[in-house]
PDB file of all heavy atoms in Angstrom:
ATOM      1  N   ASP A  22       1.361 -15.600 -13.504  1.00 95.00           N
ATOM      2  CA  ASP A  22       2.441 -16.564 -13.264  1.00 95.00           C
ATOM      3  C   ASP A  22       3.130 -16.328 -11.928  1.00 95.00           C
ATOM      4  O   ASP A  22       3.415 -17.286 -11.190  1.00 95.00           O
ATOM      5  CB  ASP A  22       3.469 -16.498 -14.397  1.00 95.00           C
ATOM      6  CG  ASP A  22       2.943 -17.081 -15.705  1.00 95.00           C
ATOM      7  OD1 ASP A  22       1.907 -17.772 -15.668  1.00 95.00           O
ATOM      8  OD2 ASP A  22       3.566 -16.831 -16.755  1.00 95.00           O
ATOM      9  N   VAL A  23       3.411 -15.055 -11.579  1.00 95.00           N
ATOM     10  CA  VAL A  23       4.118 -14.801 -10.320  1.00 95.00           C
ATOM     11  C   VAL A  23       3.200 -15.042  -9.125  1.00 95.00           C
ATOM     12  O   VAL A  23       3.660 -15.450  -8.054  1.00 95.00           O
ATOM     13  CB  VAL A  23       4.733 -13.384 -10.279  1.00 95.00           C
ATOM     14  CG1 VAL A  23       5.776 -13.215 -11.371  1.00 95.00           C
ATOM     15  CG2 VAL A  23       3.683 -12.295 -10.332  1.00 95.00           C
ATOM     16  N   LEU A  24       1.906 -14.806  -9.293  1.00 95.00           N
ATOM     17  CA  LEU A  24       0.963 -15.123  -8.217  1.00 95.00           C
ATOM     18  C   LEU A  24       0.941 -16.627  -7.960  1.00 95.00           C
ATOM     19  O   LEU A  24       0.916 -17.077  -6.815  1.00 95.00           O
ATOM     20  CB  LEU A  24      -0.441 -14.637  -8.576  1.00 95.00           C
ATOM     21  CG  LEU A  24      -0.717 -13.138  -8.447  1.00 95.00           C
ATOM     22  CD1 LEU A  24      -2.094 -12.806  -9.004  1.00 95.00           C
ATOM     23  CD2 LEU A  24      -0.611 -12.698  -6.991  1.00 95.00           C
ATOM     24  N   GLU A  25       0.993 -17.408  -9.041  1.00 95.00           N
ATOM     25  CA  GLU A  25       0.991 -18.862  -8.893  1.00 95.00           C
ATOM     26  C   GLU A  25       2.298 -19.340  -8.259  1.00 95.00           C
ATOM     27  O   GLU A  25       2.286 -20.196  -7.376  1.00 95.00           O
ATOM     28  CB  GLU A  25       0.796 -19.518 -10.260  1.00 95.00           C
ATOM     29  CG  GLU A  25       0.704 -21.034 -10.196  1.00 95.00           C
ATOM     30  CD  GLU A  25       0.423 -21.650 -11.561  1.00 95.00           C
ATOM     31  OE1 GLU A  25       0.078 -20.896 -12.497  1.00 95.00           O
ATOM     32  OE2 GLU A  25       0.547 -22.879 -11.689  1.00 95.00           O
ATOM     33  N   LEU A  26       3.412 -18.776  -8.697  1.00 93.00           N
ATOM     34  CA  LEU A  26       4.709 -19.179  -8.165  1.00 93.00           C
ATOM     35  C   LEU A  26       4.817 -18.901  -6.674  1.00 93.00           C
ATOM     36  O   LEU A  26       5.377 -19.699  -5.915  1.00 93.00           O
ATOM     37  CB  LEU A  26       5.833 -18.451  -8.918  1.00 93.00           C
ATOM     38  CG  LEU A  26       7.262 -18.717  -8.449  1.00 93.00           C
ATOM     39  CD1 LEU A  26       7.625 -20.190  -8.606  1.00 93.00           C
ATOM     40  CD2 LEU A  26       8.251 -17.844  -9.216  1.00 93.00           C
ATOM     41  N   THR A  27       4.278 -17.774  -6.237  1.00 93.00           N
ATOM     42  CA  THR A  27       4.370 -17.387  -4.822  1.00 93.00           C
ATOM     43  C   THR A  27       3.155 -17.836  -4.009  1.00 93.00           C
ATOM     44  O   THR A  27       3.015 -17.466  -2.842  1.00 93.00           O
ATOM     45  CB  THR A  27       4.529 -15.860  -4.697  1.00 93.00           C
ATOM     46  OG1 THR A  27       3.460 -15.213  -5.394  1.00 93.00           O
ATOM     47  CG2 THR A  27       5.866 -15.412  -5.276  1.00 93.00           C
ATOM     48  N   ASP A  28       2.279 -18.635  -4.630  1.00 92.00           N
ATOM     49  CA  ASP A  28       1.106 -19.203  -3.961  1.00 92.00           C
ATOM     50  C   ASP A  28       0.199 -18.104  -3.399  1.00 92.00           C
ATOM     51  O   ASP A  28      -0.261 -18.175  -2.255  1.00 92.00           O
ATOM     52  CB  ASP A  28       1.540 -20.165  -2.845  1.00 92.00           C
ATOM     53  CG  ASP A  28       0.397 -21.062  -2.381  1.00 92.00           C
ATOM     54  OD1 ASP A  28      -0.545 -21.262  -3.172  1.00 92.00           O
ATOM     55  OD2 ASP A  28       0.434 -21.535  -1.231  1.00 92.00           O
ATOM     56  N   LEU A  29      -0.055 -17.082  -4.216  1.00 94.00           N
ATOM     57  CA  LEU A  29      -0.922 -15.976  -3.795  1.00 94.00           C
ATOM     58  C   LEU A  29      -2.133 -15.808  -4.712  1.00 94.00           C
ATOM     59  O   LEU A  29      -2.833 -14.800  -4.618  1.00 94.00           O
ATOM     60  CB  LEU A  29      -0.117 -14.666  -3.764  1.00 94.00           C
ATOM     61  CG  LEU A  29       0.866 -14.489  -2.606  1.00 94.00           C
ATOM     62  CD1 LEU A  29       1.709 -13.241  -2.823  1.00 94.00           C
ATOM     63  CD2 LEU A  29       0.132 -14.401  -1.278  1.00 94.00           C
ATOM     64  N   THR A  30      -2.371 -16.777  -5.578  1.00 95.00           N
ATOM     65  CA  THR A  30      -3.475 -16.648  -6.526  1.00 95.00           C
ATOM     66  C   THR A  30      -4.803 -16.412  -5.814  1.00 95.00           C
ATOM     67  O   THR A  30      -5.629 -15.590  -6.252  1.00 95.00           O
ATOM     68  CB  THR A  30      -3.561 -17.908  -7.398  1.00 95.00           C
ATOM     69  OG1 THR A  30      -2.317 -18.092  -8.091  1.00 95.00           O
ATOM     70  CG2 THR A  30      -4.684 -17.786  -8.418  1.00 95.00           C
ATOM     71  N   TYR A  31      -5.005 -17.097  -4.695  1.00 94.00           N
ATOM     72  CA  TYR A  31      -6.281 -16.960  -3.991  1.00 94.00           C
ATOM     73  C   TYR A  31      -6.424 -15.619  -3.281  1.00 94.00           C
ATOM     74  O   TYR A  31      -7.501 -15.281  -2.773  1.00 94.00           O
ATOM     75  CB  TYR A  31      -6.452 -18.105  -2.980  1.00 94.00           C
ATOM     76  CG  TYR A  31      -5.551 -18.033  -1.771  1.00 94.00           C
ATOM     77  CD1 TYR A  31      -6.070 -17.687  -0.526  1.00 94.00           C
ATOM     78  CD2 TYR A  31      -4.195 -18.318  -1.864  1.00 94.00           C
ATOM     79  CE1 TYR A  31      -5.257 -17.620   0.588  1.00 94.00           C
ATOM     80  CE2 TYR A  31      -3.374 -18.265  -0.756  1.00 94.00           C
ATOM     81  CZ  TYR A  31      -3.910 -17.913   0.470  1.00 94.00           C
ATOM     82  OH  TYR A  31      -3.089 -17.852   1.571  1.00 94.00           O
ATOM     83  N   LYS A  32      -5.340 -14.822  -3.260  1.00 94.00           N
ATOM     84  CA  LYS A  32      -5.388 -13.488  -2.657  1.00 94.00           C
ATOM     85  C   LYS A  32      -5.326 -12.388  -3.720  1.00 94.00           C
ATOM     86  O   LYS A  32      -5.079 -11.229  -3.390  1.00 94.00           O
ATOM     87  CB  LYS A  32      -4.215 -13.313  -1.683  1.00 94.00           C
ATOM     88  CG  LYS A  32      -4.358 -14.125  -0.397  1.00 94.00           C
ATOM     89  CD  LYS A  32      -5.460 -13.558   0.482  1.00 94.00           C
ATOM     90  CE  LYS A  32      -5.540 -14.266   1.820  1.00 94.00           C
ATOM     91  NZ  LYS A  32      -6.619 -13.710   2.680  1.00 94.00           N
ATOM     92  N   ALA A  33      -5.597 -12.747  -4.968  1.00 94.00           N
ATOM     93  CA  ALA A  33      -5.445 -11.784  -6.067  1.00 94.00           C
ATOM     94  C   ALA A  33      -6.308 -10.548  -5.889  1.00 94.00           C
ATOM     95  O   ALA A  33      -5.924  -9.445  -6.302  1.00 94.00           O
ATOM     96  CB  ALA A  33      -5.766 -12.461  -7.398  1.00 94.00           C
ATOM     97  N   ASP A  34      -7.467 -10.685  -5.278  1.00 94.00           N
ATOM     98  CA  ASP A  34      -8.391  -9.545  -5.132  1.00 94.00           C
ATOM     99  C   ASP A  34      -8.401  -8.954  -3.719  1.00 94.00           C
ATOM    100  O   ASP A  34      -9.240  -8.112  -3.406  1.00 94.00           O
ATOM    101  CB  ASP A  34      -9.808  -9.986  -5.507  1.00 94.00           C
ATOM    102  CG  ASP A  34      -9.914 -10.413  -6.967  1.00 94.00           C
ATOM    103  OD1 ASP A  34      -9.262  -9.767  -7.810  1.00 94.00           O
ATOM    104  OD2 ASP A  34     -10.623 -11.399  -7.256  1.00 94.00           O
ATOM    105  N   ALA A  35      -7.480  -9.394  -2.886  1.00 94.00           N
ATOM    106  CA  ALA A  35      -7.399  -8.869  -1.520  1.00 94.00           C
ATOM    107  C   ALA A  35      -6.615  -7.560  -1.498  1.00 94.00           C
ATOM    108  O   ALA A  35      -5.721  -7.338  -2.325  1.00 94.00           O
ATOM    109  CB  ALA A  35      -6.742  -9.888  -0.606  1.00 94.00           C
ATOM    110  N   GLU A  36      -6.948  -6.682  -0.558  1.00 92.00           N
ATOM    111  CA  GLU A  36      -6.179  -5.445  -0.412  1.00 92.00           C
ATOM    112  C   GLU A  36      -4.800  -5.765   0.154  1.00 92.00           C
ATOM    113  O   GLU A  36      -4.653  -6.608   1.038  1.00 92.00           O
ATOM    114  CB  GLU A  36      -6.902  -4.469   0.511  1.00 92.00           C
ATOM    115  CG  GLU A  36      -8.152  -3.867  -0.104  1.00 92.00           C
ATOM    116  CD  GLU A  36      -8.689  -2.702   0.723  1.00 92.00           C
ATOM    117  OE1 GLU A  36      -8.069  -2.356   1.750  1.00 92.00           O
ATOM    118  OE2 GLU A  36      -9.726  -2.138   0.327  1.00 92.00           O
ATOM    119  N   VAL A  37      -3.802  -5.077  -0.357  1.00 91.00           N
ATOM    120  CA  VAL A  37      -2.422  -5.339   0.048  1.00 91.00           C
ATOM    121  C   VAL A  37      -2.240  -5.161   1.548  1.00 91.00           C
ATOM    122  O   VAL A  37      -1.614  -5.982   2.220  1.00 91.00           O
ATOM    123  CB  VAL A  37      -1.463  -4.414  -0.726  1.00 91.00           C
ATOM    124  CG1 VAL A  37      -0.046  -4.541  -0.173  1.00 91.00           C
ATOM    125  CG2 VAL A  37      -1.488  -4.745  -2.206  1.00 91.00           C
ATOM    126  N   ASN A  38      -2.813  -4.071   2.103  1.00 88.00           N
ATOM    127  CA  ASN A  38      -2.588  -3.823   3.528  1.00 88.00           C
ATOM    128  C   ASN A  38      -3.453  -4.698   4.427  1.00 88.00           C
ATOM    129  O   ASN A  38      -3.390  -4.576   5.651  1.00 88.00           O
ATOM    130  CB  ASN A  38      -2.783  -2.341   3.862  1.00 88.00           C
ATOM    131  CG  ASN A  38      -4.160  -1.836   3.476  1.00 88.00           C
ATOM    132  OD1 ASN A  38      -4.973  -2.597   2.966  1.00 88.00           O
ATOM    133  ND2 ASN A  38      -4.407  -0.557   3.696  1.00 88.00           N
ATOM    134  N   SER A  39      -4.232  -5.608   3.831  1.00 89.00           N
ATOM    135  CA  SER A  39      -4.978  -6.572   4.647  1.00 89.00           C
ATOM    136  C   SER A  39      -4.238  -7.901   4.774  1.00 89.00           C
ATOM    137  O   SER A  39      -4.653  -8.775   5.535  1.00 89.00           O
ATOM    138  CB  SER A  39      -6.363  -6.822   4.028  1.00 89.00           C
ATOM    139  OG  SER A  39      -6.269  -7.620   2.859  1.00 89.00           O
ATOM    140  N   LEU A  40      -3.155  -8.050   4.028  1.00 89.00           N
ATOM    141  CA  LEU A  40      -2.412  -9.310   4.036  1.00 89.00           C
ATOM    142  C   LEU A  40      -1.604  -9.467   5.320  1.00 89.00           C
ATOM    143  O   LEU A  40      -1.177  -8.479   5.935  1.00 89.00           O
ATOM    144  CB  LEU A  40      -1.454  -9.368   2.839  1.00 89.00           C
ATOM    145  CG  LEU A  40      -2.070  -9.304   1.440  1.00 89.00           C
ATOM    146  CD1 LEU A  40      -0.970  -9.341   0.398  1.00 89.00           C
ATOM    147  CD2 LEU A  40      -3.072 -10.419   1.220  1.00 89.00           C
ATOM    148  N   SER A  41      -1.389 -10.707   5.698  1.00 89.00           N
ATOM    149  CA  SER A  41      -0.514 -10.985   6.836  1.00 89.00           C
ATOM    150  C   SER A  41       0.915 -10.630   6.475  1.00 89.00           C
ATOM    151  O   SER A  41       1.253 -10.413   5.296  1.00 89.00           O
ATOM    152  CB  SER A  41      -0.586 -12.466   7.211  1.00 89.00           C
ATOM    153  OG  SER A  41      -0.020 -13.265   6.183  1.00 89.00           O
ATOM    154  N   ARG A  42       1.769 -10.569   7.500  1.00 86.00           N
ATOM    155  CA  ARG A  42       3.179 -10.243   7.261  1.00 86.00           C
ATOM    156  C   ARG A  42       3.824 -11.241   6.292  1.00 86.00           C
ATOM    157  O   ARG A  42       4.553 -10.861   5.381  1.00 86.00           O
ATOM    158  CB  ARG A  42       3.918 -10.257   8.609  1.00 86.00           C
ATOM    159  CG  ARG A  42       5.433 -10.272   8.529  1.00 86.00           C
ATOM    160  CD  ARG A  42       5.994  -8.911   8.294  1.00 86.00           C
ATOM    161  NE  ARG A  42       7.432  -8.926   8.479  1.00 86.00           N
ATOM    162  CZ  ARG A  42       8.294  -8.374   7.647  1.00 86.00           C
ATOM    163  NH1 ARG A  42       7.871  -7.761   6.568  1.00 86.00           N
ATOM    164  NH2 ARG A  42       9.592  -8.412   7.877  1.00 86.00           N
ATOM    165  N   GLY A  43       3.541 -12.527   6.466  1.00 88.00           N
ATOM    166  CA  GLY A  43       4.115 -13.531   5.589  1.00 88.00           C
ATOM    167  C   GLY A  43       3.654 -13.377   4.153  1.00 88.00           C
ATOM    168  O   GLY A  43       4.448 -13.511   3.205  1.00 88.00           O
ATOM    169  N   MET A  44       2.365 -13.090   3.960  1.00 90.00           N
ATOM    170  CA  MET A  44       1.838 -12.905   2.608  1.00 90.00           C
ATOM    171  C   MET A  44       2.402 -11.640   1.965  1.00 90.00           C
ATOM    172  O   MET A  44       2.666 -11.603   0.762  1.00 90.00           O
ATOM    173  CB  MET A  44       0.313 -12.861   2.636  1.00 90.00           C
ATOM    174  CG  MET A  44      -0.335 -14.192   2.952  1.00 90.00           C
ATOM    175  SD  MET A  44      -2.135 -14.066   2.966  1.00 90.00           S
ATOM    176  CE  MET A  44      -2.580 -15.747   3.440  1.00 90.00           C
ATOM    177  N   GLN A  45       2.589 -10.598   2.757  1.00 90.00           N
ATOM    178  CA  GLN A  45       3.182  -9.376   2.217  1.00 90.00           C
ATOM    179  C   GLN A  45       4.612  -9.629   1.744  1.00 90.00           C
ATOM    180  O   GLN A  45       5.038  -9.094   0.715  1.00 90.00           O
ATOM    181  CB  GLN A  45       3.158  -8.259   3.254  1.00 90.00           C
ATOM    182  CG  GLN A  45       1.784  -7.647   3.473  1.00 90.00           C
ATOM    183  CD  GLN A  45       1.844  -6.372   4.302  1.00 90.00           C
ATOM    184  OE1 GLN A  45       2.897  -5.976   4.787  1.00 90.00           O
ATOM    185  NE2 GLN A  45       0.698  -5.731   4.466  1.00 90.00           N
ATOM    186  N   GLN A  46       5.359 -10.460   2.480  1.00 89.00           N
ATOM    187  CA  GLN A  46       6.714 -10.779   2.060  1.00 89.00           C
ATOM    188  C   GLN A  46       6.702 -11.580   0.764  1.00 89.00           C
ATOM    189  O   GLN A  46       7.533 -11.366  -0.118  1.00 89.00           O
ATOM    190  CB  GLN A  46       7.453 -11.543   3.156  1.00 89.00           C
ATOM    191  CG  GLN A  46       7.912 -10.666   4.318  1.00 89.00           C
ATOM    192  CD  GLN A  46       8.882  -9.587   3.866  1.00 89.00           C
ATOM    193  OE1 GLN A  46       8.479  -8.503   3.441  1.00 89.00           O
ATOM    194  NE2 GLN A  46      10.166  -9.876   3.950  1.00 89.00           N
ATOM    195  N   ARG A  47       5.751 -12.516   0.645  1.00 91.00           N
ATOM    196  CA  ARG A  47       5.672 -13.280  -0.603  1.00 91.00           C
ATOM    197  C   ARG A  47       5.253 -12.365  -1.762  1.00 91.00           C
ATOM    198  O   ARG A  47       5.717 -12.530  -2.892  1.00 91.00           O
ATOM    199  CB  ARG A  47       4.675 -14.430  -0.450  1.00 91.00           C
ATOM    200  CG  ARG A  47       5.298 -15.649   0.231  1.00 91.00           C
ATOM    201  CD  ARG A  47       4.376 -16.842   0.162  1.00 91.00           C
ATOM    202  NE  ARG A  47       3.341 -16.779   1.186  1.00 91.00           N
ATOM    203  CZ  ARG A  47       2.152 -17.338   1.066  1.00 91.00           C
ATOM    204  NH1 ARG A  47       1.813 -17.958  -0.048  1.00 91.00           N
ATOM    205  NH2 ARG A  47       1.272 -17.263   2.050  1.00 91.00           N
ATOM    206  N   LEU A  48       4.371 -11.399  -1.482  1.00 93.00           N
ATOM    207  CA  LEU A  48       3.984 -10.438  -2.513  1.00 93.00           C
ATOM    208  C   LEU A  48       5.179  -9.581  -2.926  1.00 93.00           C
ATOM    209  O   LEU A  48       5.346  -9.253  -4.107  1.00 93.00           O
ATOM    210  CB  LEU A  48       2.850  -9.557  -2.009  1.00 93.00           C
ATOM    211  CG  LEU A  48       2.338  -8.491  -2.975  1.00 93.00           C
ATOM    212  CD1 LEU A  48       1.818  -9.125  -4.265  1.00 93.00           C
ATOM    213  CD2 LEU A  48       1.251  -7.646  -2.315  1.00 93.00           C
ATOM    214  N   SER A  49       6.017  -9.241  -1.964  1.00 92.00           N
ATOM    215  CA  SER A  49       7.219  -8.473  -2.271  1.00 92.00           C
ATOM    216  C   SER A  49       8.142  -9.268  -3.196  1.00 92.00           C
ATOM    217  O   SER A  49       8.758  -8.711  -4.114  1.00 92.00           O
ATOM    218  CB  SER A  49       7.945  -8.098  -0.976  1.00 92.00           C
ATOM    219  OG  SER A  49       8.964  -7.153  -1.218  1.00 92.00           O
ATOM    220  N   VAL A  50       8.239 -10.581  -2.965  1.00 92.00           N
ATOM    221  CA  VAL A  50       9.030 -11.437  -3.854  1.00 92.00           C
ATOM    222  C   VAL A  50       8.370 -11.503  -5.230  1.00 92.00           C
ATOM    223  O   VAL A  50       9.045 -11.432  -6.266  1.00 92.00           O
ATOM    224  CB  VAL A  50       9.185 -12.852  -3.251  1.00 92.00           C
ATOM    225  CG1 VAL A  50       9.901 -13.775  -4.242  1.00 92.00           C
ATOM    226  CG2 VAL A  50       9.959 -12.789  -1.948  1.00 92.00           C
ATOM    227  N   ALA A  51       7.029 -11.641  -5.254  1.00 94.00           N
ATOM    228  CA  ALA A  51       6.316 -11.676  -6.537  1.00 94.00           C
ATOM    229  C   ALA A  51       6.595 -10.416  -7.346  1.00 94.00           C
ATOM    230  O   ALA A  51       6.784 -10.466  -8.570  1.00 94.00           O
ATOM    231  CB  ALA A  51       4.815 -11.837  -6.288  1.00 94.00           C
ATOM    232  N   ARG A  52       6.620  -9.288  -6.659  1.00 94.00           N
ATOM    233  CA  ARG A  52       6.874  -8.012  -7.351  1.00 94.00           C
ATOM    234  C   ARG A  52       8.212  -8.018  -8.074  1.00 94.00           C
ATOM    235  O   ARG A  52       8.309  -7.584  -9.228  1.00 94.00           O
ATOM    236  CB  ARG A  52       6.829  -6.860  -6.335  1.00 94.00           C
ATOM    237  CG  ARG A  52       7.289  -5.521  -6.885  1.00 94.00           C
ATOM    238  CD  ARG A  52       7.270  -4.459  -5.817  1.00 94.00           C
ATOM    239  NE  ARG A  52       8.086  -4.783  -4.663  1.00 94.00           N
ATOM    240  CZ  ARG A  52       9.405  -4.660  -4.616  1.00 94.00           C
ATOM    241  NH1 ARG A  52      10.081  -4.217  -5.676  1.00 94.00           N
ATOM    242  NH2 ARG A  52      10.072  -4.975  -3.515  1.00 94.00           N
ATOM    243  N   VAL A  53       9.262  -8.499  -7.403  1.00 94.00           N
ATOM    244  CA  VAL A  53      10.592  -8.430  -8.018  1.00 94.00           C
ATOM    245  C   VAL A  53      10.809  -9.522  -9.056  1.00 94.00           C
ATOM    246  O   VAL A  53      11.807  -9.488  -9.784  1.00 94.00           O
ATOM    247  CB  VAL A  53      11.711  -8.487  -6.951  1.00 94.00           C
ATOM    248  CG1 VAL A  53      11.566  -7.359  -5.953  1.00 94.00           C
ATOM    249  CG2 VAL A  53      11.746  -9.829  -6.248  1.00 94.00           C
ATOM    250  N   LEU A  54       9.889 -10.489  -9.131  1.00 95.00           N
ATOM    251  CA  LEU A  54      10.015 -11.531 -10.152  1.00 95.00           C
ATOM    252  C   LEU A  54       9.336 -11.160 -11.463  1.00 95.00           C
ATOM    253  O   LEU A  54       9.494 -11.870 -12.461  1.00 95.00           O
ATOM    254  CB  LEU A  54       9.419 -12.841  -9.618  1.00 95.00           C
ATOM    255  CG  LEU A  54      10.144 -13.503  -8.458  1.00 95.00           C
ATOM    256  CD1 LEU A  54       9.387 -14.738  -7.990  1.00 95.00           C
ATOM    257  CD2 LEU A  54      11.574 -13.871  -8.845  1.00 95.00           C
ATOM    258  N   LEU A  55       8.596 -10.054 -11.475  1.00 95.00           N
ATOM    259  CA  LEU A  55       7.829  -9.679 -12.665  1.00 95.00           C
ATOM    260  C   LEU A  55       8.714  -9.541 -13.899  1.00 95.00           C
ATOM    261  O   LEU A  55       8.330  -9.950 -14.998  1.00 95.00           O
ATOM    262  CB  LEU A  55       7.081  -8.365 -12.411  1.00 95.00           C
ATOM    263  CG  LEU A  55       5.897  -8.437 -11.439  1.00 95.00           C
ATOM    264  CD1 LEU A  55       5.479  -7.033 -11.017  1.00 95.00           C
ATOM    265  CD2 LEU A  55       4.721  -9.181 -12.076  1.00 95.00           C
ATOM    266  N   HIS A  56       9.900  -8.979 -13.734  1.00 95.00           N
ATOM    267  CA  HIS A  56      10.780  -8.757 -14.885  1.00 95.00           C
ATOM    268  C   HIS A  56      11.848  -9.839 -15.020  1.00 95.00           C
ATOM    269  O   HIS A  56      12.807  -9.679 -15.776  1.00 95.00           O
ATOM    270  CB  HIS A  56      11.429  -7.370 -14.796  1.00 95.00           C
ATOM    271  CG  HIS A  56      12.332  -7.185 -13.607  1.00 95.00           C
ATOM    272  ND1 HIS A  56      11.881  -7.266 -12.309  1.00 95.00           N
ATOM    273  CD2 HIS A  56      13.665  -6.940 -13.523  1.00 95.00           C
ATOM    274  CE1 HIS A  56      12.902  -7.059 -11.484  1.00 95.00           C
ATOM    275  NE2 HIS A  56      13.988  -6.865 -12.198  1.00 95.00           N
ATOM    276  N   ASP A  57      11.673 -10.956 -14.278  1.00 94.00           N
ATOM    277  CA  ASP A  57      12.551 -12.125 -14.379  1.00 94.00           C
ATOM    278  C   ASP A  57      14.022 -11.755 -14.198  1.00 94.00           C
ATOM    279  O   ASP A  57      14.854 -11.984 -15.081  1.00 94.00           O
ATOM    280  CB  ASP A  57      12.349 -12.816 -15.731  1.00 94.00           C
ATOM    281  CG  ASP A  57      12.985 -14.209 -15.767  1.00 94.00           C
ATOM    282  OD1 ASP A  57      13.176 -14.805 -14.691  1.00 94.00           O
ATOM    283  OD2 ASP A  57      13.296 -14.685 -16.878  1.00 94.00           O
ATOM    284  N   PRO A  58      14.388 -11.188 -13.033  1.00 95.00           N
ATOM    285  CA  PRO A  58      15.775 -10.773 -12.824  1.00 95.00           C
ATOM    286  C   PRO A  58      16.708 -11.969 -12.636  1.00 95.00           C
ATOM    287  O   PRO A  58      16.280 -13.056 -12.238  1.00 95.00           O
ATOM    288  CB  PRO A  58      15.694  -9.936 -11.544  1.00 95.00           C
ATOM    289  CG  PRO A  58      14.557 -10.549 -10.792  1.00 95.00           C
ATOM    290  CD  PRO A  58      13.556 -10.962 -11.838  1.00 95.00           C
ATOM    291  N   LYS A  59      17.984 -11.762 -12.910  1.00 95.00           N
ATOM    292  CA  LYS A  59      18.983 -12.807 -12.689  1.00 95.00           C
ATOM    293  C   LYS A  59      19.401 -12.892 -11.232  1.00 95.00           C
ATOM    294  O   LYS A  59      19.772 -13.958 -10.739  1.00 95.00           O
ATOM    295  CB  LYS A  59      20.230 -12.527 -13.544  1.00 95.00           C
ATOM    296  CG  LYS A  59      20.041 -12.685 -15.028  1.00 95.00           C
ATOM    297  CD  LYS A  59      21.370 -12.472 -15.750  1.00 95.00           C
ATOM    298  CE  LYS A  59      21.237 -12.709 -17.246  1.00 95.00           C
ATOM    299  NZ  LYS A  59      22.546 -12.520 -17.940  1.00 95.00           N
ATOM    300  N   VAL A  60      19.347 -11.738 -10.532  1.00 96.00           N
ATOM    301  CA  VAL A  60      19.878 -11.642  -9.170  1.00 96.00           C
ATOM    302  C   VAL A  60      18.779 -11.176  -8.223  1.00 96.00           C
ATOM    303  O   VAL A  60      18.061 -10.209  -8.520  1.00 96.00           O
ATOM    304  CB  VAL A  60      21.064 -10.652  -9.102  1.00 96.00           C
ATOM    305  CG1 VAL A  60      21.579 -10.503  -7.674  1.00 96.00           C
ATOM    306  CG2 VAL A  60      22.191 -11.116 -10.027  1.00 96.00           C
ATOM    307  N   LEU A  61      18.649 -11.847  -7.082  1.00 96.00           N
ATOM    308  CA  LEU A  61      17.712 -11.429  -6.042  1.00 96.00           C
ATOM    309  C   LEU A  61      18.507 -10.995  -4.816  1.00 96.00           C
ATOM    310  O   LEU A  61      19.355 -11.748  -4.318  1.00 96.00           O
ATOM    311  CB  LEU A  61      16.771 -12.572  -5.675  1.00 96.00           C
ATOM    312  CG  LEU A  61      15.825 -13.053  -6.779  1.00 96.00           C
ATOM    313  CD1 LEU A  61      14.996 -14.234  -6.292  1.00 96.00           C
ATOM    314  CD2 LEU A  61      14.922 -11.927  -7.257  1.00 96.00           C
ATOM    315  N   LEU A  62      18.241  -9.793  -4.342  1.00 96.00           N
ATOM    316  CA  LEU A  62      18.878  -9.238  -3.154  1.00 96.00           C
ATOM    317  C   LEU A  62      17.812  -9.160  -2.071  1.00 96.00           C
ATOM    318  O   LEU A  62      16.886  -8.357  -2.178  1.00 96.00           O
ATOM    319  CB  LEU A  62      19.456  -7.853  -3.453  1.00 96.00           C
ATOM    320  CG  LEU A  62      20.411  -7.767  -4.648  1.00 96.00           C
ATOM    321  CD1 LEU A  62      20.735  -6.321  -4.979  1.00 96.00           C
ATOM    322  CD2 LEU A  62      21.689  -8.554  -4.375  1.00 96.00           C
TER     323      LEU A  62
END
């Protein structure tokens, strides 16, 4: 679900350190959405 929300589904099998800066930032957002927090900092 978080991969779909952040539009990273097509990068599911890519290495993290191979991602562009923009994709890494979206992955960072995906990470913090896993537990469905109320507040994003």
Side-chain angles (χ1 to χ4, degrees):
D22 289 346
V23 297
L24 283 173
E25 183 176 348
L26 178 62
T27 55
D28 196 23
L29 286 172
T30 302
Y31 71 107
K32 288 290 185 180
D34 297 322
E36 289 191 1
V37 172
N38 57 1
S39 74
L40 299 179
S41 67
R42 166 81 169 133
M44 290 180 183
Q45 286 191 356
Q46 284 299 86
R47 278 190 280 153
L48 180 59
S49 191
V50 175
R52 171 182 58 79
V53 302
L54 293 177
L55 289 166
H56 63 298
D57 193 23
K59 291 184 176 181
V60 177
L61 296 177
L62 306 171

